[in-house]
């Protein structure tokens, strides 16, 4: 008797909660899950003309993907570039987040706003701006030539993987600063004082206390930068050249000029699978490491 | 006019999931009474208050206000108002609009409304604060505004959830007296939740001591202090020495017992029914005296050694270790100048009529 | 102990420069009297701003972007408001699963959502255009709005709603007199930030907009022509200033009345 009343209360709470959640879940189901399922089905089809697709089941598109080395190469390169973007962004923003968390006393909010503001201004224009900075007639080259330090523009600045990595790292900085700052700011300062008190130097304290405690922020930043950048299209297109092309550029052309929807879908499926596997791996390793630490 | 029971709680239980936080509560509160629910945190006192307010519904049992069953009535339809632990002053509107908040449905004219607000502010001595916002008020002021906001509704019952907990000691003591005076002059029922036994003792007409979802004792403060029903109540209210003892024989109304550290003793005019051979004997620290030489005015005198002295200003506590025993007795003395220092030998003296038998 | 660290401070200044130079370069060149973005600057001109007024395709693209942005921000804020309420108010069964599902569109590469939507849309025989763009923007903005609103609601003291009930208001009036006014800054912040995200979004619109260009697509189409891009710089300068103002307003609103709460985890 007692438990049935509770069950009704409990169930009605669940009913209310899911009524509130239903618009969001319907959105995710119809605008993401269903299209993805159709995308997976399409990846097993064949394009036969400009507008016609043969719906018979075939693994042909996946065979295409793996038989032409360019596809695997682009997928591998996308992952590689994202890996370096993530690494570079983490390494360059960690000191910044550290400084704001521990040294900035007043107006922390202002610092955070200033650090994240560029993120909101047009992504396209920011990437384009890097082309202007790195180009043959760009800011760096014209400045160097103007001062007479070089006679000919440095051609290696633009249209390569390094340019893509620098530009993406600039574009995604805010996504690293925020989680890093939050995890560093949460650290109880008395823990660090305790570490000094117990005889550790500042350096030792950082590696033995601060850094391990900031790991949740590091992991958050890794996932939130690595996953989306694997699929970035604008940056490689604008500053990557042939050397910096990524899988997204190929996917786009398969839905554009090349007009091969099934192969494009297969490429997207493989990109998603790769990203999921890597994300799962990162999460798994983190769990193992944090379990061993505790 | 006969005093009637305004609030009646019958066979009330409440569970959250598998945890039973209130176990078969039965309680009646008189009209115009200052009634406290006292207990350690997690004893269920706040849940009981929230059930009275209508924020929680009991798993079983019923609640009556003035003989009307209100068990499933939502909070907005109950003739009770609450002062929240954190005061819950709406931060987006000023004091004036906070106090008016609950009067929307009463269709008062602008003048009447203004008058009600002014009276309420006067009652809590915060005239002129109409235009302030919550963040411009101190803790004590917020507490008064919360009180005014509830009282302006002219409730039959005022529910107070540890309203003084966030205030510092001095302000808390002032508010205790003020609240008590306010309650007497308004004549409405106050249900006051607190974990502070001193607060409950000084303010209440009656106290319900709670622990682990049960009400252990409902009595006026003095009764609770002098005749605690069990060990928990005796220890929760004030300080007490509790000693194990064994019953040797019962004759007429006299009881011969063997107290662990005192040896055999006789209790006179004893009327309680004894179920066990093992019992607890209790005595309050102020019922024992301490002296350099044995004091013949008392039934019992024991030799001991002063281990610790704690000075509290108005009283001093001596922790005396009895000779031939591990037991340390708490003795309190009102005199500020004590002739003892630590490690002095001393006598402790008490009379058998101060000894109480207490259930587990 | 943490009083000063000059090395770190200097590093921060350099990083600031790294962050801001690419952003500030465009407004500077938008006043430069040359087709080429090369130093030294040639001369000061307003020409590019004037030119901008005469581009009817730009006006159409701007109008499309504003239309999509408003619909996407309003709809996603509404959906997110309900979802945030569910997560903060109830102990939702399968909490992690539904929470993760709603956040997913924000994390997975946009190009995958773009591909999935273009495939389903064309296979249903529907015409691409602003409708699928709007749907995809709602999908993309909702997790964002939800995070903003959840952080606002977590700072929300539940006893305020209880106090309102206790003072005689039913749940409808409690919502309008207490809950809504207190959440309003968060709701407006969510609307503003969602609008900015939608307004700036490129890849989904690129795949799904077909001939109905949004502003980023219009800019993309002009970048290839050196003669045309000075007016894009002028446009870009305006966009940068306006979005910065909107974002700062949103930041200010988000923290309004939150006291000293310093939760920036979703401040992005």
């Amino acid at each position: 008797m007692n438990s049935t009343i509770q069950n009704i209360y409990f169930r009605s709470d669940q009913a209310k909660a899911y009524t509130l959640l239903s618009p969001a879940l319907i959105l995710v189901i119809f605008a993401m899950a269903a299209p993805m399922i159709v995308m997976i089905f399409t990846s097993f089809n064949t394009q036969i003309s400009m507008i016609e697709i043969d719906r018979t089941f075939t693994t042909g598109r996946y065979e295409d993907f793996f038989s032409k080395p360019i596809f695997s190469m682009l997928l591998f390169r996308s992952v590689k570039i994202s890996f370096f973007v993530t690494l570079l962004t983490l390494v360059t923003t960690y000191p910044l987040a550290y400084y704001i968390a521990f040294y900035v006393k007043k107006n922390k909010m202002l610092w955070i706003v200033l650090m994240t503001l560029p993120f909101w201004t047009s992504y396209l224009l920011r990437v384009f701006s890097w082309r202007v900075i790195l180009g043959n007639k760009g800011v760096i080259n014209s400045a160097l030539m103007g001062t007479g330090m070089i006679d000919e523009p440095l051609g290696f600045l633009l249209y390569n993987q390094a340019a893509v990595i620098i530009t993406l790292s600039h574009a995604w900085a805010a996504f690293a600063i925020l989680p890093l700052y939050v995890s560093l700011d949460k650290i109880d300062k008395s823990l660090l004082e305790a570490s000094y008190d117990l005889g550790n130097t500042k350096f030792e304290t950082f590696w033995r206390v601060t850094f391990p405690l900031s790991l949740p922020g590091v992991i958050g930043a890794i996932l939130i930068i690595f996953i989306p950048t694997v699929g970035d299209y604008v940056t490689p297109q604008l500053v990557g050249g042939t050397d910096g092309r990524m899988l997204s550029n190929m996917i786009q052309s398969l839905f554009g000029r090349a007009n091969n929807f099934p192969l494009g879908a297969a490429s997207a499926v493989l990109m998603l699978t790769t990203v999921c596997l890597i994300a799962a791996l990162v999460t798994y390793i983190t769990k193992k490491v944090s379990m061993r630490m505790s | 006019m006969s005093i009637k029971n305004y609030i009646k709680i019958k066979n009330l239980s409440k569970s959250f999931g598998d945890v039973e936080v209130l176990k078969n509560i039965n309680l009646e509160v008189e009209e115009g009474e200052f009634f406290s629910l006292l207990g350690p945190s997690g004893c269920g006192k706040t849940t009981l208050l929230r059930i009275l307010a209508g924020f929680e519904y009991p798993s079983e049992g019923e609640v009556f206000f003035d003989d009307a069953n209100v068990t499933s009535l939502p909070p907005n339809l109950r003739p009770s108002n609450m002062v929240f632990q954190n005061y819950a002053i709406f931060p987006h509107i000023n004091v004036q609009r906070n106090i008016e908040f609950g009067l929307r449905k009463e269709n008062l004219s602008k003048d009447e409304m203004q008058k009600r607000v002014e009276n309420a502010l006067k009652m809590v001595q915060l005239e002129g604060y109409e235009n302030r916002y919550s963040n411009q008020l101190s803790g004590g002021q917020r507490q008064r505004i919360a009180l005014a906001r509830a009282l302006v509704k002219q409730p039959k019952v005022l529910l107070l959830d540890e309203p003084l907990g966030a205030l510092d000691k001095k302000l808390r003591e002032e508010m205790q007296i003020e609240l008590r005076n306010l309650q007497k002059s308004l004549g409405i029922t106050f249900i006051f939740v607190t974990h502070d036994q001193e607060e409950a003792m000084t303010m209440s007409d009656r106290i319900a001591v709670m622990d682990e979802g049960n009400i252990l004792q409902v009595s006026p403060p003095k009764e609770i202090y002098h005749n605690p029903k069990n060990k928990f109540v005796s220890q929760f209210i004030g300080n007490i020495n509790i000693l194990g003892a064994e019953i040797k024989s019962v004759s007429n109304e006299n009881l011969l017992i063997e107290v662990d550290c005192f040896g055999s003793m006789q209790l006179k005019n004893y009327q309680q029914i004894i179920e066990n051979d093992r019992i607890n004997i209790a005595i309050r620290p102020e019922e024992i005296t301490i002296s350099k030489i044995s004091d013949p005015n008392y039934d019992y005198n024991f030799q001991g050694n002063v281990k610790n002295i704690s000075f509290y200003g108005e009283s001093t506590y001596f922790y005396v270790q009895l000779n031939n025993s591990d037991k340390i007795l708490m003795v309190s003395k009102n005199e500020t100048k004590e002739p003892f220092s630590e490690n002095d030998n001393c006598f402790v003296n008490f009379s058998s009529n101060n000894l109480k038998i207490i259930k587990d | 102990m943490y009083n000063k660290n000059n090395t770190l401070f200097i590093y921060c200044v350099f990083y600031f420069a790294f962050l801001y130079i690419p952003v500030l370069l465009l407004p500077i060149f938008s006043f430069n009297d040359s087709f080429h973005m090369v130093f030294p600057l040639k001369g000061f001109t307003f020409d590019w701003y004037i030119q901008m007024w005469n581009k009817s395709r730009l006006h159409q693209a701007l109008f499309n972007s504003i239309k999509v942005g408003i619909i996407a921000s309003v709809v996603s804020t509404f959906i997110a408001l309900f979802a945030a309420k569910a997560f903060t108010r109830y102990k939702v069964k399968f909490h992690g699963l539904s929470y993760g599902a709603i956040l997913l569109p924000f994390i997975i590469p946009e190009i995958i959502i773009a591909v999935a939507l273009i495939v389903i849309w064309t296979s249903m025989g529907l015409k691409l255009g602003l409708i699928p763009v709007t749907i995809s923007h709602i999908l993309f903005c909702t997790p964002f709005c939800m995070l903003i609103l959840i952080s606002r609601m977590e700072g929300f003291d539940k006893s305020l709603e209880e106090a309102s009930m206790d003072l005689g208001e039913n749940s409808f009036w409690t919502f309008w007199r207490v809950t809504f006014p207190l959440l309003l800054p968060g709701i407006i912040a969510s609307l503003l930030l969602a609008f900015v995200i939608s307004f700036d979004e490129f890849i989904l619109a690129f795949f799904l907009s077909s001939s109905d260009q949004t502003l980023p697509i219009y800019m993309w189409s002009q970048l290839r022509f050196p003669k045309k891009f000075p007016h894009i710089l002028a446009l870009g300068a305006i966009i940068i200033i306006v979005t910065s103002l909107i974002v700062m307003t949103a930041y200010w609103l988000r923290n309004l009345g939150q006291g000293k709460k310093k939760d920036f985890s979703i401040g992005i």
Side-chain angles (χ1 to χ4, degrees):
Chain A
M1 154 74 191
N2 188 4
S3 69
T4 49
I5 291 175
Q6 276 167 32
N7 274 341
I8 292 163
Y9 274 133
F10 183 67
R11 263 187 248 142
S12 77
D13 258 15
Q14 290 304 311
K16 280 182 214 156
Y18 273 94
T19 313
L20 288 169
L21 278 181
S22 56
L25 292 176
I26 287 171
L27 178 73
V28 168
I29 289 166
F30 284 95
M32 192 180 77
M36 278 194 180
I37 289 166
V38 175
M39 173 180 82
I40 292 169
F41 275 112
T42 306
S43 73
F44 291 105
N45 295 153
T46 317
Q47 187 92 30
I48 42 178
S49 76
M50 273 300 281
I51 47 162
E52 254 184 296
I53 290 173
D54 178 6
R55 295 284 176 196
T56 41
F57 179 87
T58 167
T59 54
R61 302 300 75 72
Y62 290 94
E63 286 159 25
D64 291 348
F65 188 97
F66 288 110
S67 62
K68 292 176 192 159
I70 175 97
F71 283 97
S72 320
M73 192 270 280
L74 285 178
L75 177 59
F76 177 73
R77 184 191 284 165
S78 298
V79 171
K80 188 180 80 178
I81 286 179
S82 286
F83 171 80
F84 283 112
V85 170
T86 312
L87 190 68
L88 179 67
T89 316
L90 276 178
V91 170
T92 51
T93 55
Y94 197 102
L96 202 70
Y98 185 86
Y99 185 81
I100 301 175
F102 291 115
Y103 290 98
V104 175
K105 294 285 184 307
K106 281 187 258 170
N107 301 326
K108 280 191 182 198
M109 178 69 186
L110 185 71
W111 277 71
I112 293 292
V113 171
L114 284 177
M115 287 292 173
T116 53
L117 201 55
F119 161 80
W120 293 97
T121 58
S122 173
Y123 180 57
L124 200 59
L125 291 170
R126 266 180 296 149
V127 176
F128 179 71
S129 193
W130 277 100
R131 185 151 93 170
V132 173
I133 293 171
L134 301 173
N136 269 357
K137 293 179 178 175
V139 175
I140 292 181
N141 275 323
S142 56
L144 289 177
M145 276 157 62
T147 55
M149 284 169 77
I150 51 170
D151 300 327
E152 283 193 2
L154 302 170
F156 60 83
L157 291 178
L158 193 59
Y159 301 129
N160 55 34
Q161 295 179 21
V164 176
I165 291 168
I166 291 171
T167 308
L168 278 175
S169 171
H170 174 261
W172 290 84
F175 284 96
I177 293 173
L178 283 169
L180 290 177
Y181 167 75
V182 169
S183 64
L184 284 168
D185 198 51
K186 263 191 211 147
I187 297 174
D188 186 349
K189 304 288 177 288
S190 60
L191 293 176
L192 309 184
E193 289 171 350
S195 167
Y196 296 130
D197 187 60
L198 295 170
N200 288 301
T201 63
K202 260 193 154 176
F203 185 75
E204 286 165 339
T205 298
F206 177 79
W207 286 111
R208 298 183 65 187
V209 183
T210 316
F211 185 72
L213 286 174
S214 72
L215 271 182
V218 175
I219 301 306
I222 289 177
L223 292 177
I224 211 168
I225 295 174
F226 179 81
I227 297 174
T229 48
V230 170
D232 195 78
Y233 169 82
V234 175
T235 307
Q237 192 74 15
L238 280 179
V239 302
T242 342
D243 176 52
R245 255 170 83 85
M246 286 162 69
L247 187 59
S248 309
N249 308 93
M250 179 61 100
I251 292 176
Q252 195 279 325
S253 71
L254 289 169
F255 282 91
R257 259 168 299 160
N259 198 48
N260 190 339
F261 278 33
L263 185 54
S267 308
V269 170
L270 287 169
M271 180 195 277
L272 186 61
T273 316
T274 312
V275 161
C276 288
L277 286 177
I278 293 172
L281 192 71
V282 170
T283 326
Y284 176 77
I285 292 171
T286 321
K287 268 201 186 133
K288 281 273 146 166
V289 169
S290 62
M291 262 165 66
R292 240 186 37 198
M293 284 199 325
S294 66
Chain B
M1 194 185 89
S2 69
I3 292 176
K4 63 172 186 176
N5 287 331
Y6 187 78
I7 298 174
K8 289 194 189 105
I9 297 170
K10 286 187 182 161
N11 306 323
L12 184 143
S13 300
K14 173 70 182 175
S15 306
F16 292 112
D18 296 336
V19 188
E20 200 175 14
V21 290
L22 290 173
K23 297 164 190 165
N24 196 27
I25 301 285
N26 284 287
L27 191 64
E28 297 186 342
V29 179
E30 288 169 9
E31 193 165 10
E33 192 173 19
F34 198 122
F35 191 91
S36 289
L37 297 171
L38 173 66
S41 58
C43 71
K45 57 192 192 299
T46 295
T47 307
L48 185 55
L49 192 78
R50 289 170 62 81
I51 286 173
L52 290 177
F55 298 131
E56 310 279 358
Y57 297 105
S59 308
E60 270 176 65
E62 286 163 324
V63 179
F64 295 88
F65 280 7
D66 205 9
D67 293 329
N69 189 335
V70 296
T71 313
S72 54
L73 207 62
N76 49 330
L77 303 178
R78 294 195 185 200
S80 61
N81 285 112
M82 182 138 159
V83 175
F84 288 80
Q85 186 168 18
N86 59 357
Y87 317 137
I89 305 295
F90 302 118
H92 60 300
I93 49 180
N94 63 18
V95 164
Q96 164 110 19
R97 308 233 330 263
N98 258 287
I99 293 173
E100 288 171 2
F101 192 95
L103 300 175
R104 186 177 64 88
K105 289 202 186 119
E106 294 193 13
N107 294 320
L108 300 172
S109 74
K110 224 176 164 186
D111 286 349
E112 283 174 308
M113 183 85 93
Q114 187 61 37
K115 219 172 156 197
R116 289 274 286 272
V117 173
E118 270 170 24
N119 282 337
L121 281 173
K122 204 167 156 186
M123 198 153 48
V124 296
Q125 299 163 23
L126 280 179
E127 297 109 310
Y129 279 71
E130 286 88 344
N131 295 320
R132 300 259 190 127
Y133 282 83
S134 168
N135 58 4
Q136 299 167 311
L137 299 171
S138 70
Q141 289 168 339
R142 272 179 225 172
Q143 201 265 329
R144 284 159 195 257
I145 298 299
L147 198 60
R149 185 178 68 182
L151 289 174
V152 80
K153 294 265 298 173
Q154 299 169 343
K156 293 275 190 238
V157 179
L158 189 72
L159 307 168
L160 303 104
D161 185 7
E162 305 220 13
L164 308 180
L167 307 180
D168 60 58
K169 194 173 189 303
K170 188 96 181 145
L171 193 56
R172 196 161 66 222
E173 281 165 2
E174 278 172 32
M175 281 310 293
Q176 284 171 8
I177 295 167
E178 228 174 280
L179 266 181
R180 177 71 182 163
N181 291 341
L182 199 60
Q183 190 265 340
K184 284 294 140 215
S185 67
L186 293 170
I188 58 178
T189 311
F190 274 35
I191 309 279
F192 188 92
V193 161
T194 181
H195 65 266
D196 181 338
Q197 48 101 6
E198 226 175 88
E199 196 168 280
M201 297 287 275
T202 51
M203 297 167 80
S204 321
D205 293 319
R206 281 194 304 157
I207 299 173
V209 182
M210 295 181 68
D211 187 43
E212 292 179 345
N214 296 304
I215 291 185
L216 303 178
Q217 183 167 5
V218 183
S219 306
K222 274 186 189 165
E223 173 77 13
I224 285 206
Y225 190 77
H226 292 298
N227 289 312
K229 276 198 180 153
N230 64 24
K231 206 168 160 182
F232 179 86
V233 175
S234 74
Q235 285 175 318
F236 196 74
I237 311 282
N239 292 314
I240 199 159
N241 296 295
I242 292 188
L243 313 157
E246 207 152 322
I247 297 177
K248 286 292 165 198
S249 69
V250 186
S251 61
N252 295 330
E253 284 166 355
N254 288 349
L255 205 60
L256 191 68
I257 54 171
E258 177 84 15
V259 181
D260 292 356
C261 57
F262 293 142
S264 68
M265 286 185 171
Q266 196 163 21
L267 295 185
K268 287 167 213 152
N269 305 321
Y270 189 76
Q271 286 156 357
Q272 252 174 284
I273 300 151
I274 309 296
E275 294 141 0
N276 268 329
D277 284 352
R278 271 315 280 185
I279 52 170
N280 294 308
I281 296 291
I283 184 161
R284 297 276 179 197
E286 67 272 19
E287 290 165 339
I288 309 177
T289 64
I290 179 166
S291 55
K292 291 272 184 195
I293 47 163
S294 141
D295 188 337
N297 294 325
Y298 295 89
D299 300 348
Y300 298 106
N301 319 95
F302 292 95
Q303 244 185 324
N305 184 274
V306 179
K307 283 286 163 205
N308 286 96
I309 303 174
S310 302
F311 178 62
Y312 289 101
E314 73 272 21
S315 66
T316 305
Y317 273 72
F318 299 91
Y319 296 84
V320 178
Q321 175 155 37
L322 297 174
N323 290 356
N324 316 318
S325 168
D326 297 342
K327 187 70 191 174
I328 292 182
L329 274 189
M330 251 187 298
V331 182
S332 84
K333 211 172 170 167
N334 286 338
E335 291 156 36
T336 47
K337 211 177 140 209
E338 86 287 346
F340 291 96
S341 50
E342 283 170 13
N343 294 324
D344 282 0
N345 287 325
C346 67
F347 277 89
V348 289
N349 321 285
F350 55 91
S351 293
S352 65
N353 55 6
N354 284 325
L355 291 173
K356 291 178 268 283
I357 295 181
I358 286 182
K359 283 191 216 160
D360 266 326
Chain C
M1 189 157 50
Y2 291 102
N3 290 327
K4 249 183 161 181
N5 190 324
N6 289 329
T7 328
L8 264 184
F9 180 75
I10 291 165
Y11 175 80
C12 288
V13 172
F14 272 100
Y15 198 87
F16 253 107
F18 166 72
L19 269 185
Y20 275 87
I21 285 173
V23 180
L24 296 177
L25 217 54
L26 302 174
I28 292 171
F29 278 105
S30 70
F31 295 107
N32 186 28
D33 193 7
S34 163
F35 286 125
H36 303 289
M37 289 179 70
V38 178
F39 281 112
L41 299 169
K42 286 271 164 27
F44 187 82
T45 179
F46 273 123
D47 283 0
W48 314 127
Y49 287 87
I50 295 160
Q51 218 182 64
M52 211 170 61
W53 289 114
N54 307 321
K55 304 269 181 188
S56 64
R57 275 181 61 214
L58 189 156
H59 296 166
Q60 185 57 44
L62 176 66
F63 179 69
N64 285 344
S65 271
I66 290 175
K67 198 162 66 177
V68 171
I70 288 176
I71 296 173
S73 59
V74 170
V75 175
S76 43
T77 299
F78 252 93
I79 294 175
L81 190 61
F82 294 132
K85 175 103 179 162
F87 284 125
T88 48
R89 193 55 184 275
Y90 300 102
K91 279 195 181 118
V92 181
K93 242 185 177 177
F94 308 114
H95 176 281
L97 194 67
S98 16
Y99 192 72
I102 295 170
L103 284 186
L104 210 53
F106 180 56
I107 311 235
I108 59 172
E110 274 174 88
I111 193 162
I112 286 166
I113 293 174
V115 165
L117 277 166
I118 197 174
V119 166
I120 196 174
W121 207 260
T122 51
S123 70
M124 289 192 299
L126 296 168
K127 261 189 70 180
L128 293 171
L130 292 183
I131 294 173
V133 173
T134 312
I135 292 173
S136 70
H137 283 189
I138 292 170
L139 182 72
F140 188 58
C141 292
T142 301
F144 216 87
C145 300
M146 188 177 79
L147 290 177
I148 293 172
L149 292 169
I150 282 179
S151 91
R152 184 82 199 181
M153 286 180 187
E154 275 172 349
F156 189 95
D157 182 358
K158 201 179 152 199
S159 66
L160 292 173
E161 287 177 326
E162 288 180 349
S164 165
M165 297 286 280
D166 186 67
L167 292 166
E169 294 297 7
N170 57 25
S171 15
F172 176 81
W173 280 101
T174 294
F175 179 81
W176 283 111
R177 295 190 70 190
V178 178
T179 319
F180 182 73
L182 287 170
L183 289 182
L184 194 59
I187 292 171
I188 296 174
S190 158
L191 286 172
L192 292 176
L193 294 180
F195 180 83
V196 171
I197 292 173
S198 162
F199 193 80
D200 183 41
E201 200 289 321
F202 174 79
I203 196 78
L204 294 165
F206 189 52
F207 272 75
L208 300 169
S209 64
S210 182
S211 55
D212 297 330
Q213 288 185 331
T214 60
L215 208 56
I217 309 302
Y218 171 79
M219 294 197 287
W220 179 261
S221 70
Q222 305 294 302
L223 287 182
R224 272 170 293 163
F225 312 109
K227 291 264 182 321
K228 285 187 173 167
F229 79 57
H231 87 276
I232 296 295
L233 291 184
L235 176 65
I238 293 176
I239 292 176
I240 287 170
I241 289 163
V242 173
T243 46
S244 299
L245 288 176
I246 294 179
V247 171
M248 286 205 265
T249 314
Y251 271 127
W252 174 69
L253 281 169
R254 271 196 51 221
N255 290 281
L256 197 66
Q258 297 273 66
K260 277 198 292 180
K261 209 173 156 253
K262 37 184 179 171
D263 176 19
F264 293 112
S265 51
I266 56 90
I268 330 166

